[in-house]
Amino acid sequence: MRWPGLLEAYKEYLPVTKDTPKLTLNEGNTPLIKLERLSIEWGVELYVKVEGANPTGSFKDRGMVMAVAKAVEEGSKTVICASTGNTSAAAAAYAARAGLKCIIVIPEGKIAMGKLAQAMMYGAEIISIEGNFDQALKMVRNISKTEPITLVNSVNPYRLEGQKTAAFEICDQLGTAPDILAIPVGNAGNISAYWKGFKEYAETKETGLPRMFGFEASGAAALVHNRVFENPETIATAIRIGNPASWNLAVTAVEESNGQFDEVTDEEIVSAYKKLASSEGVFAEPASCASIAGVFKSLKNGRIPKGTKIVAVLTGNGLKDPDTAINSSLIKPVQLPNDEKVVAEHIQGVVLN
Ligand code: F0G
């Protein structure tokens, strides 16, 4: 059967009314892949929820389909967001689909190329500021109060409603909730949305509750240290955020679920990023790999016991950020002349190795 998209598939769980437009790019229904090698190597049962398989390549599509549909329902003509890249790609795509204007505000030089390319192609009005995400978010929050524009950052409650559907899918795919959900944390909306989703499904379908493990980048670890980071910095630009908007909701998710926040360094993120792609064939963007790096760290320091059933959320597609991939890889194309004999000799050497 053809997957109808989230608003149709989960309408009983979402604020969908008879006036909500049937907006969709057939988002959701993403794969839950078992990491066979890493599960054996680490002595756990480890799965990844591959959110990069969504139509614009990240989990943001889940929240954006709901937020943009509600904006249309409420008569809005324009949406606005601040973004480290993925939110803006999703906002621009769903606005294009719904026939709305989209304005995005991004931190100059700190968004991955694939994400910028998307916003351009979907036809957004792009404003690049000499500031970081937190500053951009403050601006758009204020501007949307006085202008006839709908804010579609995750402070818009419809965003979290849409995003909670990923927790439903995990429960359906596994049969129950996992023991632990490992998730990268930036603005802290997604961890809050997952927790809401797990709780709602547990109430109606008795699927149980996971412990929520949220991982921030060390250079942007506000929740771990319980203080704002004025100048957040990390290679994982998607989570380069120093003052998460959903701070309280995320703390509640971790406390209620007996989970934890922890931080991972850029080195740990890059190492997980490479290992995931080269040993499992799964290419996720650097920020996403904070979840895998976090699982590895927690296994080493004993905070996750052996035998645990873990789902790590891979929030965005690796292709979003080709520069980081090319710059961090040790593999470079071998340049040879256009000569079959030379190429064949080289290949024989590779096969023998
Ligand atoms: N992973 C990726 C790939 C992201 O793009 C984001 C957030 C996160 C994780 C963190 O999720 O903010 O809900 O805690 N990206 C936002 C953006 C900020 O503008 O695209 P969060």
Side-chain angles (χ1 to χ4, degrees), residues 278-295:
S278 63
S279 68
E280 297 283 358
V282 178
F283 184 24
E285 69 170 282
S288 304
C289 299
S291 62
I292 299 293
V295 167

Side-chain angles (χ1 to χ4, degrees), residues 16 19 36 44 84 102 154 166 184 264 338:
V16 172
D19 298 322
E36 303 282 0
V44 288
T84 56
C102 176
S154 55
V264 284
N338 179 13

Side-chain angles (χ1 to χ4, degrees), residues 11-251:
K11 58 180 176 238
E12 301 94 63
Y13 294 89
L14 295 172
V16 172
T17 71
K18 64 176 186 1
D19 298 322
T20 311
K22 294 191 182 318
L23 182 65
T24 191
L25 286 166
N26 303 89
E27 59 293 316
N29 193 24
T30 57
L32 186 74
I33 300 178
K34 182 163 186 204
L35 299 185
E36 303 282 0
R37 278 181 213 277
L38 291 187
S39 290
I40 292 169
E41 194 178 318
W42 294 350
V44 288
E45 193 177 333
L46 178 58
Y47 300 83
V48 283
K49 182 68 172 158
V50 184
E51 289 294 277
N54 275 299
T56 78
S58 87
F59 72 97
K60 304 287 181 177
D61 294 343
R62 295 181 185 274
M64 209 52 78
V65 69
M66 189 76 249
V68 172
K70 292 309 264 187
V72 172
E73 185 176 339
E74 288 159 10
S76 180
K77 298 277 180 278
T78 308
V79 294
I80 192 167
C81 64
S83 183
T84 56
N86 282 323
T87 298
S88 55
Y94 283 90
R97 185 85 167 168
L100 301 186
K101 200 175 272 176
C102 176
I103 304 167
I104 69 173
V105 184
I106 54 173
E108 178 101 51
K110 294 291 181 180
I111 109 164
M113 271 308 140
K115 304 175 188 180
L116 185 59
Q118 288 179 292
M120 292 165 80
M121 286 302 293
Y122 295 133
E125 170 79 25
I126 305 170
I127 300 164
S128 178
I129 61 160
E130 283 177 22
N132 60 34
F133 170 84
D134 303 286
Q135 293 157 334
L137 181 59
K138 192 163 168 228
M139 275 183 209
V140 298
R141 286 179 90 153
N142 286 333
I143 293 165
S144 64
K145 278 184 202 142
T146 53
E147 303 298 321
I149 305 175
T150 305
L151 181 66
V152 292
N153 278 106
S154 55
V155 290
N156 175 329
Y158 296 127
R159 280 280 312 280
L160 300 196
E161 287 298 312
Q163 283 172 212
K164 76 185 179 188
T165 58
F168 300 166
E169 289 179 16
I170 290 172
C171 293
D172 285 338
Q173 287 165 319
L174 282 179
T176 62
D179 301 323
I180 287 176
L181 186 92
I183 185 167
V185 174
N187 212 24
N190 210 28
I191 189 171
S192 310
Y194 268 87
W195 183 235
K196 188 169 195 293
F198 281 121
K199 283 199 297 188
E200 287 182 14
Y201 234 47
E203 263 174 36
T204 51
K205 301 213 167 188
E206 294 180 12
T207 38
L209 293 169
R211 297 174 66 199
M212 303 292 285
F213 279 46
F215 296 103
E216 296 183 300
S218 292
L223 294 166
V224 175
H225 297 282
N226 196 26
R227 69 171 173 88
V228 170
F229 277 51
E230 294 293 345
N231 297 303
E233 211 44 85
T234 167
I235 194 169
T237 52
I239 53 171
R240 185 174 167 271
I241 296 175
N243 188 10
S246 296
W247 191 303
N248 293 336
L249 286 175
V251 168

